[in-house]
Amino acid sequence: MTSEENHPPLFSTLAADPGMIDLVENFVADLPERLARILLADEAADEKAFLFEVHQLKGTSGVYGFEPLHHCLVEIESLHKTGQLETIPEKLETLKKMCKRVTPKPPP
């Protein structure tokens, strides 16, 4: 069993809401691009873009019911704002792993 298999899928707490499922599915479909923008801003040391993208994804992940993802982004944003930059690469690795587990609906 790989380490990825040790962690269950991350699905939205709103997955059972028929009025939200299309929005949740769109969020999940856009997630790889949004993560890529965060990683590119980090690589380029573009602090303004990095904080903007982290903040945006933090907000939408919470709105769409992905609480573990939201909390990870809250932590990344807080670490950056308090100057604890040395721990951000580890948190970004956690974020990447979490994003791979995100799915709009729970397994049947």
XYZ file of all heavy atoms in Angstrom:
846
model
N 0.849 -1.187 0.000
C 0.000 0.000 0.000
C 0.889 1.243 0.000
O 1.756 1.385 0.836
C -0.898 -0.048 1.239
C -1.885 1.094 1.303
S -2.995 0.992 2.742
C -4.279 -0.018 2.059
N 0.655 2.142 -0.944
C 1.446 3.368 -1.020
C 0.928 4.371 -0.003
O -0.171 4.229 0.525
C 1.376 3.991 -2.430
O 0.042 4.447 -2.650
C 1.787 3.014 -3.506
N 1.717 5.415 0.228
C 1.288 6.435 1.179
C 0.028 7.141 0.701
O -0.783 7.587 1.502
C 2.405 7.436 1.443
O 2.735 8.117 0.261
N -0.161 7.243 -0.621
C -1.375 7.862 -1.154
C -2.597 7.018 -0.812
O -3.677 7.545 -0.601
C -1.271 8.046 -2.675
C -0.266 9.097 -3.107
C -0.566 10.474 -2.585
O -1.715 10.936 -2.691
O 0.351 11.101 -2.040
N -2.431 5.697 -0.778
C -3.553 4.816 -0.479
C -3.918 4.858 0.996
O -4.997 4.435 1.383
C -3.223 3.386 -0.910
C -3.120 3.237 -2.418
C -2.550 1.898 -2.830
O -1.816 1.287 -2.024
O -2.832 1.468 -3.955
N -3.017 5.329 1.836
C -3.278 5.411 3.267
C -4.243 6.534 3.615
O -4.728 6.596 4.734
C -1.975 5.620 4.044
C -1.096 4.399 4.022
O -1.579 3.284 3.912
N 0.200 4.618 4.109
N -4.479 7.428 2.689
C -5.331 8.583 2.948
C -6.574 8.497 2.073
O -6.467 8.321 0.864
C -4.581 9.879 2.672
C -3.360 10.036 3.529
N -3.427 10.347 4.867
C -2.050 9.907 3.240
C -2.207 10.407 5.354
N -1.346 10.146 4.398
N -7.728 8.657 2.682
C -8.970 8.579 1.905
C -9.140 9.797 1.007
O -8.499 10.835 1.217
C -10.044 8.546 2.986
C -9.443 9.262 4.150
C -7.963 8.934 4.093
N -10.023 9.679 0.016
C -10.310 10.845 -0.820
C -10.850 11.998 0.024
O -11.496 11.771 1.050
C -11.387 10.346 -1.789
C -11.350 8.863 -1.702
C -10.786 8.513 -0.361
N -10.577 13.203 -0.423
C -11.136 14.395 0.222
C -12.316 14.842 -0.625
O -12.139 15.224 -1.778
C -10.108 15.521 0.260
C -9.008 15.430 1.279
C -8.033 16.593 1.104
C -9.583 15.465 2.676
N -13.491 14.765 -0.061
C -14.660 15.203 -0.805
C -15.353 16.330 -0.074
O -15.166 16.527 1.127
C -15.612 14.043 -1.102
C -16.086 13.310 0.120
C -17.212 13.729 0.808
C -15.403 12.195 0.581
C -17.643 13.060 1.926
C -15.833 11.512 1.703
C -16.954 11.948 2.379
N -16.158 17.050 -0.813
C -16.840 18.212 -0.275
C -17.926 17.805 0.713
O -18.660 16.835 0.490
C -17.472 19.008 -1.422
O -18.291 20.035 -0.908
N -18.052 18.572 1.777
C -19.153 18.369 2.715
C -20.477 18.779 2.080
O -21.540 18.473 2.620
C -18.937 19.173 4.011
O -18.803 20.561 3.676
C -17.711 18.694 4.759
N -20.407 19.420 0.924
C -21.615 19.845 0.208
C -21.991 18.875 -0.909
O -22.898 19.149 -1.688
C -21.400 21.242 -0.390
C -21.001 22.323 0.607
C -20.683 23.621 -0.117
C -22.094 22.532 1.633
N -21.318 17.738 -0.982
C -21.521 16.793 -2.083
C -22.962 16.285 -2.169
O -23.429 15.946 -3.247
C -20.556 15.619 -1.949
N -23.668 16.241 -1.058
C -25.035 15.741 -1.062
C -26.056 16.821 -1.430
O -27.238 16.529 -1.579
C -25.374 15.151 0.298
N -25.604 18.047 -1.587
C -26.506 19.156 -1.908
C -26.630 19.280 -3.428
O -25.694 19.721 -4.090
C -25.955 20.452 -1.313
C -26.858 21.653 -1.523
O -27.743 21.614 -2.412
O -26.676 22.639 -0.800
N -27.783 18.904 -3.991
C -27.933 18.943 -5.451
C -27.727 20.343 -6.041
O -27.287 20.475 -7.182
C -29.361 18.471 -5.701
C -29.875 17.955 -4.415
C -28.965 18.432 -3.318
N -27.986 21.369 -5.267
C -27.811 22.729 -5.745
C -26.356 23.172 -5.796
O -26.037 24.193 -6.406
N -25.479 22.413 -5.173
C -24.069 22.793 -5.113
C -23.150 21.899 -5.931
O -22.016 22.280 -6.205
C -23.589 22.775 -3.656
C -24.194 23.844 -2.777
S -23.741 25.519 -3.276
C -22.000 25.534 -2.923
N -23.604 20.724 -6.323
C -22.696 19.751 -6.916
C -22.018 20.270 -8.182
O -20.832 20.016 -8.392
C -23.370 18.373 -7.139
C -22.323 17.304 -7.421
C -24.425 18.443 -8.225
C -21.335 17.068 -6.319
N -22.720 21.017 -9.031
C -22.074 21.563 -10.237
C -20.950 22.522 -9.867
O -19.875 22.492 -10.480
C -23.085 22.273 -11.141
C -23.997 21.311 -11.886
O -23.665 20.107 -11.952
O -25.040 21.761 -12.392
N -21.178 23.354 -8.873
C -20.147 24.295 -8.430
C -18.958 23.561 -7.825
O -17.804 23.911 -8.083
C -20.731 25.281 -7.419
C -21.797 26.228 -7.960
C -22.454 26.992 -6.825
C -21.220 27.164 -8.992
N -19.236 22.533 -7.038
C -18.172 21.740 -6.430
C -17.361 21.036 -7.520
O -16.125 21.013 -7.474
C -18.748 20.731 -5.414
C -17.696 19.735 -4.963
C -19.338 21.468 -4.206
N -18.044 20.473 -8.507
C -17.343 19.800 -9.610
C -16.458 20.784 -10.377
O -15.341 20.439 -10.768
C -18.336 19.112 -10.536
C -18.943 17.870 -9.915
C -20.040 17.233 -10.745
O -20.551 17.872 -11.702
O -20.392 16.077 -10.426
N -16.946 22.006 -10.598
C -16.130 23.027 -11.273
C -14.911 23.397 -10.436
O -13.811 23.577 -10.970
C -16.964 24.270 -11.576
C -17.946 24.053 -12.694
O -17.780 23.168 -13.536
N -18.998 24.850 -12.711
N -15.097 23.507 -9.131
C -13.968 23.803 -8.242
C -12.906 22.718 -8.372
O -11.720 23.008 -8.515
C -14.444 23.913 -6.784
C -13.317 24.003 -5.802
C -12.707 25.207 -5.531
C -12.842 22.856 -5.154
C -11.643 25.293 -4.635
C -11.783 22.926 -4.259
C -11.184 24.152 -4.003
N -13.330 21.461 -8.330
C -12.390 20.339 -8.417
C -11.690 20.337 -9.777
O -10.476 20.106 -9.855
C -13.109 18.995 -8.149
C -12.189 17.813 -8.430
C -13.600 18.951 -6.699
N -12.425 20.621 -10.840
C -11.827 20.649 -12.182
C -10.780 21.749 -12.306
O -9.772 21.578 -13.000
C -12.918 20.833 -13.232
N -10.995 22.872 -11.639
C -10.063 24.008 -11.704
C -8.894 23.889 -10.724
O -7.931 24.650 -10.824
C -10.804 25.322 -11.409
C -11.779 25.706 -12.501
O -11.665 25.171 -13.625
O -12.669 26.540 -12.227
N -8.984 22.965 -9.799
C -7.981 22.866 -8.737
C -6.548 22.669 -9.245
O -5.640 23.352 -8.760
C -8.368 21.763 -7.748
C -7.536 21.658 -6.487
C -7.509 22.980 -5.704
C -8.068 20.529 -5.607
N -6.291 21.796 -10.231
C -4.904 21.644 -10.693
C -4.294 22.952 -11.209
O -3.135 23.260 -10.919
C -5.002 20.603 -11.805
C -6.225 19.812 -11.457
C -7.183 20.815 -10.855
N -5.082 23.742 -11.921
C -4.578 25.022 -12.431
C -4.318 26.000 -11.288
O -3.312 26.714 -11.288
C -5.578 25.629 -13.414
C -5.102 26.932 -14.016
C -6.127 27.533 -14.962
O -6.865 26.791 -15.609
O -6.171 28.780 -15.028
N -5.186 26.011 -10.321
C -5.011 26.928 -9.191
C -3.792 26.544 -8.360
O -3.035 27.411 -7.920
C -6.280 26.942 -8.347
C -7.462 27.486 -9.171
C -8.695 27.507 -8.393
N -8.680 28.733 -7.615
C -9.696 29.169 -6.910
N -10.804 28.490 -6.860
N -9.609 30.291 -6.239
N -3.593 25.240 -8.155
C -2.404 24.772 -7.453
C -1.147 25.133 -8.237
O -0.160 25.595 -7.656
C -2.478 23.259 -7.229
C -1.246 22.622 -6.594
C -0.984 23.182 -5.202
C -1.394 21.109 -6.559
N -1.193 24.973 -9.545
C -0.037 25.306 -10.386
C 0.330 26.783 -10.254
O 1.516 27.126 -10.195
C -0.326 24.951 -11.840
N -0.669 27.653 -10.173
C -0.381 29.088 -10.019
C 0.300 29.366 -8.679
O 1.205 30.197 -8.606
C -1.666 29.906 -10.159
C -2.175 29.963 -11.587
C -3.202 31.053 -11.810
N -4.348 30.996 -10.941
C -5.551 30.532 -11.279
N -5.756 30.047 -12.483
N -6.545 30.562 -10.415
N -0.110 28.669 -7.632
C 0.535 28.831 -6.322
C 1.989 28.378 -6.400
O 2.898 29.079 -5.949
C -0.214 28.037 -5.230
C -1.559 28.699 -4.936
C 0.622 27.917 -3.958
C -2.477 27.886 -4.035
N 2.202 27.225 -6.993
C 3.560 26.671 -7.074
C 4.464 27.524 -7.962
O 5.642 27.725 -7.636
C 3.504 25.228 -7.578
C 2.748 24.259 -6.665
C 2.650 22.888 -7.310
C 3.357 24.184 -5.280
N 3.927 28.043 -9.059
C 4.724 28.921 -9.931
C 5.090 30.220 -9.222
O 6.223 30.691 -9.337
C 3.970 29.216 -11.228
C 3.912 28.085 -12.238
C 2.972 28.446 -13.390
C 5.298 27.761 -12.763
N 4.150 30.790 -8.495
C 4.435 32.023 -7.756
C 5.487 31.770 -6.687
O 6.385 32.597 -6.478
C 3.154 32.572 -7.137
N 5.416 30.621 -6.041
C 6.409 30.269 -5.036
C 7.788 30.113 -5.678
O 8.778 30.651 -5.172
C 6.010 28.985 -4.310
C 7.002 28.590 -3.247
O 7.260 29.399 -2.332
O 7.531 27.464 -3.318
N 7.832 29.384 -6.789
C 9.096 29.179 -7.507
C 9.727 30.492 -7.958
O 10.942 30.660 -7.893
C 8.829 28.328 -8.758
C 9.585 27.039 -8.810
C 9.201 26.253 -10.042
O 9.542 26.696 -11.164
O 8.554 25.214 -9.880
N 8.876 31.408 -8.398
C 9.355 32.696 -8.890
C 9.619 33.691 -7.756
O 10.041 34.821 -8.018
C 8.338 33.288 -9.865
N 9.355 33.267 -6.524
C 9.491 34.138 -5.353
C 8.653 35.408 -5.508
O 9.041 36.486 -5.075
C 10.953 34.469 -5.076
N 7.486 35.252 -6.138
C 6.545 36.356 -6.322
C 5.587 36.346 -5.131
O 4.531 35.714 -5.170
C 5.796 36.191 -7.652
C 4.886 37.359 -7.968
O 4.522 38.131 -7.050
O 4.522 37.493 -9.157
N 5.996 37.021 -4.062
C 5.235 36.985 -2.815
C 3.807 37.490 -2.973
O 2.876 36.916 -2.399
C 5.953 37.794 -1.738
C 7.237 37.142 -1.281
C 7.884 37.872 -0.125
O 7.158 38.433 0.717
O 9.115 37.867 -0.071
N 3.641 38.547 -3.747
C 2.300 39.112 -3.927
C 1.382 38.102 -4.616
O 0.257 37.865 -4.163
C 2.384 40.413 -4.732
C 1.070 41.128 -4.871
C 1.232 42.446 -5.592
C -0.114 43.135 -5.738
N -0.002 44.413 -6.436
N 1.851 37.510 -5.699
C 1.045 36.522 -6.422
C 0.815 35.278 -5.561
O -0.286 34.717 -5.551
C 1.716 36.141 -7.743
N 1.845 34.857 -4.847
C 1.730 33.681 -3.985
C 0.634 33.888 -2.944
O -0.267 33.054 -2.804
C 3.075 33.394 -3.304
C 3.045 32.215 -2.379
C 3.135 30.930 -2.874
C 2.932 32.394 -1.004
C 3.114 29.825 -2.011
C 2.908 31.310 -0.141
C 2.998 30.021 -0.650
N 0.707 34.994 -2.221
C -0.299 35.258 -1.192
C -1.685 35.427 -1.782
O -2.680 34.976 -1.205
C 0.082 36.485 -0.358
C 1.143 36.236 0.697
C 1.539 37.545 1.378
C 0.678 35.220 1.725
N -1.779 36.063 -2.949
C -3.076 36.236 -3.606
C -3.685 34.871 -3.937
O -4.854 34.610 -3.624
C -2.925 37.083 -4.880
C -4.210 37.205 -5.644
C -5.172 38.125 -5.265
C -4.460 36.392 -6.745
C -6.371 38.229 -5.963
C -5.647 36.489 -7.444
C -6.607 37.413 -7.056
N -2.902 34.010 -4.580
C -3.414 32.694 -4.997
C -3.749 31.816 -3.795
O -4.776 31.121 -3.791
C -2.423 31.987 -5.919
C -2.184 32.687 -7.241
C -3.409 32.778 -8.141
O -4.372 32.011 -7.939
O -3.399 33.605 -9.067
N -2.899 31.828 -2.772
C -3.174 31.052 -1.560
C -4.457 31.558 -0.911
O -5.331 30.768 -0.526
C -1.984 31.106 -0.569
C -2.371 30.587 0.810
C -0.800 30.319 -1.120
N -4.591 32.868 -0.800
C -5.768 33.457 -0.168
C -7.043 33.108 -0.950
O -8.068 32.752 -0.343
C -5.597 34.977 -0.063
C -6.708 35.644 0.667
N -6.816 35.615 2.041
C -7.774 36.340 0.218
C -7.901 36.275 2.398
N -8.506 36.722 1.312
N -6.981 33.209 -2.267
C -8.149 32.890 -3.089
C -8.563 31.424 -2.933
O -9.743 31.119 -2.758
C -7.855 33.193 -4.563
C -7.720 34.661 -4.886
C -9.026 35.396 -4.672
O -10.069 34.999 -5.165
N -8.969 36.487 -3.927
N -7.595 30.526 -3.000
C -7.906 29.106 -2.880
C -8.355 28.762 -1.461
O -9.230 27.918 -1.268
C -6.708 28.251 -3.305
C -6.960 26.750 -3.395
C -8.150 26.423 -4.305
C -5.708 26.050 -3.895
N -7.785 29.437 -0.494
C -8.215 29.239 0.902
C -9.707 29.535 1.030
O -10.462 28.745 1.587
C -7.409 30.143 1.834
C -7.857 30.087 3.292
C -7.177 31.140 4.131
C -7.799 32.488 3.844
N -7.390 33.541 4.763
N -10.111 30.666 0.491
C -11.514 31.063 0.589
C -12.455 30.121 -0.147
O -13.451 29.669 0.415
N -12.128 29.801 -1.384
C -13.033 28.955 -2.160
C -13.064 27.527 -1.638
O -14.120 26.892 -1.648
C -12.688 28.974 -3.661
O -11.324 28.614 -3.842
C -12.979 30.321 -4.289
N -11.952 27.023 -1.148
C -11.958 25.654 -0.614
C -12.869 25.570 0.611
O -13.560 24.567 0.807
C -10.544 25.178 -0.279
O -9.959 25.962 0.733
N -12.894 26.612 1.398
C -13.795 26.641 2.548
C -15.247 26.765 2.137
O -16.118 26.049 2.640
N -15.518 27.650 1.189
C -16.887 27.857 0.710
C -17.458 26.577 0.113
O -18.635 26.257 0.317
C -16.933 29.002 -0.329
C -18.261 29.039 -1.064
C -16.652 30.335 0.342
N -16.629 25.827 -0.602
C -17.113 24.622 -1.272
C -16.969 23.359 -0.427
O -17.145 22.253 -0.919
C -16.445 24.456 -2.632
C -16.894 25.517 -3.596
C -15.986 26.383 -4.183
C -18.244 25.685 -3.898
C -16.410 27.377 -5.045
C -18.669 26.680 -4.752
C -17.746 27.523 -5.324
O -18.169 28.504 -6.181
N -16.682 23.503 0.850
C -16.760 22.392 1.778
C -15.558 21.474 1.839
O -15.675 20.332 2.293
N -14.398 21.960 1.440
C -13.177 21.156 1.523
C -12.355 21.643 2.722
O -11.329 22.301 2.568
C -12.376 21.256 0.220
C -13.068 20.593 -0.937
C -13.830 21.329 -1.823
C -12.961 19.223 -1.129
C -14.475 20.718 -2.892
C -13.594 18.596 -2.186
C -14.363 19.346 -3.071
N -12.837 21.328 3.908
C -12.246 21.860 5.137
C -10.776 21.510 5.339
O -9.995 22.385 5.709
C -13.080 21.447 6.349
C -14.450 22.117 6.388
C -14.385 23.630 6.361
O -13.552 24.220 7.079
O -15.167 24.233 5.608
N -10.341 20.255 5.126
C -8.913 19.971 5.327
C -8.021 20.806 4.399
O -6.967 21.294 4.817
C -8.788 18.478 5.007
C -10.156 17.933 5.247
C -11.091 19.031 4.826
N -8.442 20.984 3.171
C -7.702 21.804 2.219
C -7.677 23.257 2.690
O -6.634 23.909 2.687
C -8.349 21.683 0.836
C -7.633 22.266 -0.342
C -6.280 21.615 -0.563
C -8.491 22.101 -1.594
N -8.819 23.735 3.124
C -8.940 25.102 3.638
C -7.968 25.329 4.806
O -7.245 26.324 4.830
C -10.387 25.358 4.078
C -10.588 26.657 4.765
N -10.677 27.855 4.086
C -10.707 26.958 6.081
C -10.848 28.837 4.961
N -10.871 28.318 6.172
N -7.940 24.396 5.745
C -7.071 24.557 6.922
C -5.594 24.528 6.543
O -4.786 25.262 7.128
C -7.394 23.507 7.976
C -8.735 23.710 8.610
N -9.039 24.814 9.376
C -9.860 22.970 8.562
C -10.288 24.742 9.778
N -10.814 23.634 9.297
N -5.239 23.713 5.570
C -3.848 23.680 5.094
C -3.460 25.035 4.508
O -2.376 25.558 4.772
C -3.692 22.567 4.050
S -2.011 22.393 3.416
N -4.351 25.628 3.743
C -4.079 26.933 3.129
C -4.052 28.053 4.169
O -3.259 28.985 4.047
C -5.108 27.213 2.032
C -4.915 26.326 0.805
C -6.217 26.124 0.061
C -3.845 26.917 -0.104
N -4.889 27.952 5.181
C -4.843 28.918 6.290
C -3.455 28.883 6.925
O -2.849 29.924 7.194
C -5.929 28.609 7.354
C -5.677 29.362 8.654
C -7.310 28.923 6.812
N -2.944 27.677 7.130
C -1.630 27.524 7.744
C -0.527 28.090 6.851
O 0.368 28.794 7.329
C -1.366 26.047 8.045
C -0.164 25.834 8.901
C -0.016 24.402 9.369
O -0.873 23.554 9.062
O 0.986 24.137 10.043
N -0.593 27.805 5.549
C 0.418 28.328 4.614
C 0.402 29.851 4.613
O 1.451 30.495 4.697
C 0.205 27.759 3.199
C 0.535 26.265 3.177
C 1.053 28.518 2.167
C 0.115 25.554 1.900
N -0.782 30.424 4.546
C -0.903 31.883 4.541
C -0.353 32.477 5.834
O 0.386 33.461 5.813
C -2.370 32.277 4.340
C -2.573 33.765 4.182
C -4.017 34.118 3.935
O -4.905 33.629 4.669
O -4.269 34.897 3.004
N -0.678 31.862 6.951
C -0.214 32.344 8.244
C 1.311 32.246 8.364
O 1.965 33.186 8.845
C -0.883 31.547 9.359
O -0.382 31.926 10.605
N 1.873 31.122 7.929
C 3.330 30.962 7.972
C 4.027 32.036 7.145
O 5.047 32.592 7.564
C 3.722 29.572 7.468
C 3.372 28.404 8.379
C 3.551 27.086 7.634
C 4.191 28.435 9.650
N 3.471 32.323 5.988
C 4.080 33.332 5.123
C 3.995 34.714 5.763
O 4.979 35.453 5.805
C 3.413 33.337 3.743
C 4.174 34.113 2.732
N 4.147 35.487 2.682
C 5.012 33.702 1.753
C 4.929 35.896 1.705
N 5.465 34.841 1.119
N 2.831 35.037 6.274
C 2.627 36.361 6.867
C 3.452 36.580 8.125
O 3.783 37.714 8.457
C 1.144 36.590 7.153
C 0.344 36.822 5.900
C -1.107 37.102 6.211
C -1.871 37.451 4.943
N -3.280 37.772 5.217
N 3.800 35.495 8.823
C 4.597 35.633 10.049
C 6.084 35.396 9.800
O 6.868 35.321 10.749
C 4.092 34.681 11.151
O 4.155 33.335 10.682
C 2.672 35.024 11.576
N 6.459 35.261 8.536
C 7.865 35.135 8.189
C 8.476 33.770 8.422
O 9.696 33.627 8.389
N 7.667 32.762 8.624
C 8.173 31.401 8.847
C 8.308 30.670 7.504
O 7.752 29.607 7.296
C 7.244 30.655 9.801
C 7.151 31.323 11.164
C 6.131 30.637 12.037
O 6.258 29.458 12.312
N 5.121 31.389 12.449
N 9.079 31.261 6.625
C 9.172 30.808 5.241
C 9.843 29.447 5.093
O 9.573 28.727 4.128
C 9.906 31.854 4.401
C 9.310 33.265 4.443
C 10.144 34.205 3.583
C 7.860 33.280 4.016
N 10.684 29.078 6.043
C 11.420 27.815 5.925
C 10.503 26.597 5.998
O 10.869 25.515 5.541
C 12.520 27.716 6.979
C 12.040 27.592 8.420
C 11.576 28.897 9.073
O 11.749 29.975 8.476
O 11.039 28.817 10.183
N 9.327 26.738 6.577
C 8.403 25.601 6.700
C 7.404 25.515 5.550
O 6.684 24.525 5.431
C 7.643 25.657 8.033
O 6.959 26.897 8.114
C 8.585 25.515 9.210
N 7.362 26.529 4.713
C 6.383 26.538 3.623
C 6.600 25.419 2.608
O 5.618 24.804 2.181
C 6.310 27.935 2.970
C 5.642 28.901 3.957
C 5.550 27.886 1.645
C 5.538 30.318 3.505
N 7.826 25.089 2.194
C 7.976 23.994 1.227
C 7.342 22.678 1.692
O 6.689 21.983 0.910
C 9.490 23.858 1.065
C 10.010 25.232 1.352
C 9.109 25.747 2.452
N 7.489 22.363 2.960
C 6.872 21.146 3.500
C 5.345 21.235 3.429
O 4.663 20.269 3.075
C 7.315 20.946 4.946
C 6.710 19.734 5.610
C 7.108 19.603 7.073
O 8.131 20.185 7.474
O 6.371 18.925 7.799
N 4.806 22.394 3.746
C 3.356 22.583 3.700
C 2.845 22.544 2.266
O 1.740 22.071 2.003
C 2.950 23.894 4.381
C 3.249 23.919 5.853
C 2.500 22.822 6.593
C 2.872 22.816 8.051
N 2.306 21.669 8.758
N 3.643 23.044 1.328
C 3.240 22.968 -0.075
C 3.211 21.518 -0.557
O 2.355 21.144 -1.371
C 4.160 23.816 -0.954
C 3.987 25.324 -0.818
C 5.026 26.052 -1.666
C 2.583 25.764 -1.203
N 4.127 20.700 -0.063
C 4.097 19.263 -0.396
C 2.817 18.632 0.147
O 2.179 17.828 -0.537
C 5.330 18.548 0.161
C 6.580 18.802 -0.632
C 6.451 18.404 -2.097
O 5.959 17.299 -2.398
O 6.844 19.221 -2.953
N 2.458 18.993 1.357
C 1.203 18.498 1.941
C 0.020 18.953 1.091
O -0.885 18.166 0.800
C 1.052 19.004 3.390
O 2.138 18.521 4.164
C -0.261 18.570 4.002
N 0.034 20.203 0.675
C -1.036 20.737 -0.157
C -1.144 19.968 -1.469
O -2.247 19.604 -1.900
C -0.805 22.228 -0.421
C -1.820 22.922 -1.325
C -3.207 22.926 -0.675
C -1.367 24.339 -1.639
N -0.010 19.704 -2.107
C -0.030 18.948 -3.371
C -0.646 17.570 -3.168
O -1.462 17.126 -3.983
C 1.383 18.819 -3.947
C 1.918 20.105 -4.520
C 3.168 19.893 -5.343
C 4.379 19.622 -4.518
N 5.633 19.647 -5.292
N -0.266 16.893 -2.106
C -0.814 15.561 -1.827
C -2.311 15.629 -1.556
O -3.072 14.769 -2.005
C -0.084 14.926 -0.647
C 1.336 14.530 -0.972
C 2.066 14.018 0.250
C 3.529 13.735 -0.084
N 4.297 13.373 1.115
N -2.723 16.652 -0.828
C -4.152 16.804 -0.540
C -4.938 17.051 -1.826
O -6.010 16.476 -2.014
C -4.386 17.956 0.435
C -3.915 17.687 1.830
S -4.174 19.119 2.884
C -5.711 18.636 3.625
N -4.404 17.888 -2.683
C -5.104 18.213 -3.931
C -5.303 16.977 -4.809
O -6.320 16.858 -5.494
C -4.355 19.302 -4.697
S -4.522 20.945 -3.946
N -4.357 16.045 -4.758
C -4.505 14.804 -5.523
C -5.650 13.946 -5.005
O -6.201 13.135 -5.736
C -3.209 13.989 -5.467
C -2.096 14.584 -6.278
C -0.835 13.728 -6.163
C 0.313 14.359 -6.920
N 1.534 13.569 -6.788
N -6.019 14.127 -3.753
C -7.080 13.345 -3.132
C -8.453 13.981 -3.235
O -9.468 13.364 -2.892
C -6.741 13.116 -1.653
C -5.478 12.310 -1.449
C -5.023 12.223 0.008
N -6.096 12.183 0.973
C -6.110 12.910 2.103
N -5.118 13.724 2.385
N -7.112 12.813 2.945
N -8.524 15.223 -3.715
C -9.800 15.942 -3.764
C -10.689 15.351 -4.851
O -10.260 15.098 -5.977
C -9.550 17.449 -4.033
C -10.835 18.166 -4.393
C -8.915 18.094 -2.815
N -11.923 15.118 -4.474
C -12.946 14.610 -5.389
C -14.267 15.285 -5.047
O -14.497 15.620 -3.883
C -13.059 13.072 -5.295
O -14.012 12.605 -6.228
C -13.419 12.614 -3.913
N -15.120 15.525 -6.042
C -16.356 16.239 -5.731
C -17.360 15.424 -4.924
O -18.162 15.973 -4.187
C -16.935 16.600 -7.094
C -16.273 15.708 -8.063
C -14.953 15.303 -7.471
N -17.320 14.103 -5.073
C -18.317 13.253 -4.403
C -17.634 12.155 -3.605
O -16.580 11.666 -3.999
C -19.219 12.604 -5.446
C -19.978 13.576 -6.303
C -20.788 12.837 -7.352
C -21.394 13.804 -8.335
N -22.057 13.123 -9.434
N -18.276 11.744 -2.507
C -17.707 10.622 -1.766
C -17.819 9.333 -2.583
O -18.675 9.234 -3.460
C -18.565 10.552 -0.507
C -19.812 11.260 -0.839
C -19.475 12.257 -1.920
N -16.966 8.357 -2.293
C -17.085 7.092 -3.013
C -18.427 6.435 -2.706
O -18.973 6.645 -1.632
C -15.903 6.254 -2.494
C -15.319 7.002 -1.364
C -15.897 8.373 -1.337
N -18.937 5.653 -3.663
C -20.267 5.014 -3.453
C -20.256 4.023 -2.306
O -19.299 3.534 -1.859
C -20.553 4.306 -4.766
C -19.321 4.376 -5.581
C -18.364 5.324 -4.929
